[in-house]
Amino acid sequence: MVQRKYNFCAGPAALPEPVLEQAQAELLDWQGRGLSVMEMSHRSKEFIAIAEKAEADLRELLAVPDDYAVLFVQGGATAQFSAVPLNLLRGSAKADYLNTGQWSKKAIAEARRFCDVNVVASAENTNFSSIPEPSEWQTDNNAAYLHYTPNETIGGVEFHWLPRVSTPLVADMSSTILSRPIDVSQFGLIYAGAQKNIGPAGLTLVIAKRELLGNAHSLTPSTLNYQTIDDGKSMLNTPPTFAWYLAGLVFEWLKEGGGLEAQAHRNHQKATSLYGFIDGSDFYGNPVEPQSRSWMNVPFTLADAALDKTFLTEAEENDLLNLAGHRSVGGMRASLYNAVSMEAVEALMSFMRDFEQRHG
Ligand code: PMP
């Protein structure tokens, strides 16, 4: 019997068990072809069918309009911090960036290599516990786009609304994509590393309005040039074939589970339960303003930080893994991505209740 534990890792994160089981069943022999997906040529008709099915399912799940390219690339979301300005500045020297946390800051630092970054608003003065009011944003008329991070994985701050701006909206959706339906047509470009809600690490998704492509900076490496990648059907060079295949299995699993509306309902329930529990206790706390709390990443602190280590050790003994906060901020963090069940959240709350009784 395989003994799986509850995994609250922020990424690489828990994958749906049925997906892992199917991958296991097909590991040595994919659909009677006598070889593993890992051993197939990316140019073979078998792999091309896998790749095309994954793209079609993703397009269906997110209702991606036809005038948007869907790219399967490498380099993580971090490579996109450079790819975005290289492709989307289109001759402009300026771009707008919102600063709502550690991942926004990294995107800003990287963009500064390529352009003059206008920080439209920053939540740094509230220690990233809130989202600056749109009425306070100072956008630049000459900006080529506005970049933001809809869900800050470390701070646990999430936009539950869409910024309205006149420039193309660019979103780092690494830790929120596929957690709920989104209106893709409102975005110029969306990117996301796979290792949270999509599949294993090594794959990155880009969804881009085609009319914005084709004007990349002349020094853009071809592996970062969206137009070149789109022309090559994301197979300019050898793609991460196994990660692409697993992402395809995750998309099938999401469709079978009722699509993104159903997933949003489950995610909302999980997050509401955990925040409700934290708010109802004097022992645990979450610093984020209630209307901006993330459904996916729930950071929390204990009343006495000296108990942090004991909490983590006992959690592991109770089969609750990866609850340490990001190394830059400490404390705890429970990531509740799509593959984390309500049962896992209940096991966590039950442990937290018990821990509080013994140490509170
Ligand atoms: N952006 C966000 C919001 C993230 O959560 C992460 C990873 N945790 C990154 C960017 C960086 O992603 P990668 O490691 O895939 O480059």
Side-chain angles (χ1 to χ4, degrees):
M1 255 300 268
V2 179
Q3 265 290 316
R4 302 240 328 141
K5 301 182 180 180
Y6 298 118
N7 183 7
F8 299 94
C9 192
L15 283 164
E17 247 171 60
V19 164
L20 294 176
E21 281 163 358
Q22 185 172 342
Q24 182 183 41
E26 296 180 337
L27 191 68
L28 293 177
D29 176 10
W30 182 79
Q31 301 199 357
R33 302 301 203 282
L35 79 174
S36 171
V37 174
M38 274 186 272
E39 304 167 302
M40 282 176 190
S41 163
H42 57 294
R43 311 273 179 213
S44 64
K45 68 175 188 317
E46 286 83 2
F47 185 76
I48 287 179
I50 289 171
E52 286 178 348
K53 169 85 166 43
E55 180 180 332
D57 284 345
L58 179 76
R59 282 183 177 274
E60 186 183 328
L61 280 164
L62 282 171
V64 179
D66 289 344
D67 58 334
Y68 281 68
V70 172
L71 312 176
F72 291 78
V73 301
Q74 302 180 63
T78 304
Q80 295 308 310
F81 294 164
S82 297
V84 164
L86 279 168
N87 284 272
L88 298 190
L89 282 169
R90 293 161 293 146
S92 170
K94 285 194 173 171
D96 282 340
Y97 277 71
L98 265 174
N99 182 13
T100 54
Q102 304 302 330
W103 290 111
S104 296
K105 281 175 75 167
K106 293 207 173 177
I108 289 168
E110 204 70 2
R112 286 204 165 117
R113 296 171 186 277
F114 307 101
C115 65
D116 180 5
V117 170
N118 171 47
V119 177
V120 167
S122 170
E124 198 147 13
N125 60 344
T126 69
N127 204 16
F128 297 122
S129 60
S130 62
I131 294 173
E133 283 293 322
S135 58
E136 294 164 15
W137 296 6
Q138 310 243 316
T139 52
D140 189 314
N141 287 338
N142 297 316
Y145 58 87
L146 182 138
H147 178 283
Y148 81 119
T149 311
N151 185 66
E152 287 282 356
T153 322
I154 296 173
V157 170
E158 184 159 15
F159 285 74
H160 297 285
W161 44 277
L162 267 181
R164 299 256 170 234
V165 286
S166 51
T167 43
L169 190 57
V170 176
D172 173 1
M173 286 206 186
S174 293
S175 49
T176 184
I177 195 163
L178 297 172
S179 66
R180 65 180 83 186
I182 47 166
D183 181 357
V184 173
S185 72
Q186 299 299 310
F187 294 87
L189 186 138
I190 293 166
Y191 64 91
Q195 64 273 22
K196 295 137 187 343
N197 265 341
I198 296 168
L203 176 73
T204 308
L205 269 183
V206 177
I207 302 173
K209 195 167 191 166
R210 282 208 168 95
E211 70 178 33
L212 296 174
L213 309 187
N215 289 296
H217 188 283
S218 58
L219 292 178
T220 308
S222 46
T223 50
L224 294 182
N225 185 317
Y226 298 136
Q227 184 69 63
T228 313
I229 299 167
D230 191 27
D231 291 344
K233 295 191 181 312
S234 301
M235 295 208 196
L236 207 61
N237 66 328
T238 317
T241 49
F242 199 68
W244 194 332
Y245 152 76
L246 273 172
L249 297 185
V250 170
F251 302 154
E252 282 175 15
W253 173 78
L254 283 169
K255 282 174 61 180
E256 280 160 23
L260 298 191
E261 286 284 356
Q263 198 55 52
H265 181 69
R266 288 190 282 270
N267 288 332
H268 183 243
Q269 262 189 333
K270 289 184 289 178
T272 314
S273 304
L274 185 52
Y275 286 117
F277 171 78
I278 290 170
D279 288 345
S281 133
D282 295 328
F283 185 75
Y284 299 104
N286 168 283
V288 180
E289 62 176 357
Q291 70 270 27
S292 306
R293 284 173 164 178
S294 167
W295 290 5
M296 293 286 102
N297 310 97
V298 182
F300 60 94
T301 50
L302 312 189
D304 178 3
L307 287 169
D308 284 7
K309 255 185 116 164
T310 317
F311 181 92
L312 291 170
T313 309
E314 289 192 17
E316 274 211 36
E317 286 164 7
N318 284 275
D319 296 344
L320 304 163
L321 306 183
N322 293 312
L323 285 164
H326 190 267
R327 62 187 189 282
S328 62
V329 292
M332 310 299 152
R333 173 176 51 172
S335 293
L336 311 180
Y337 299 120
N338 287 342
V340 176
S341 63
M342 187 65 203
E343 182 193 311
V345 177
E346 273 159 9
L348 172 62
M349 291 189 296
S350 158
F351 166 74
M352 287 169 73
R353 201 173 289 120
D354 178 62
F355 189 87
E356 177 176 354
Q357 271 163 16
R358 286 181 294 108
H359 296 278

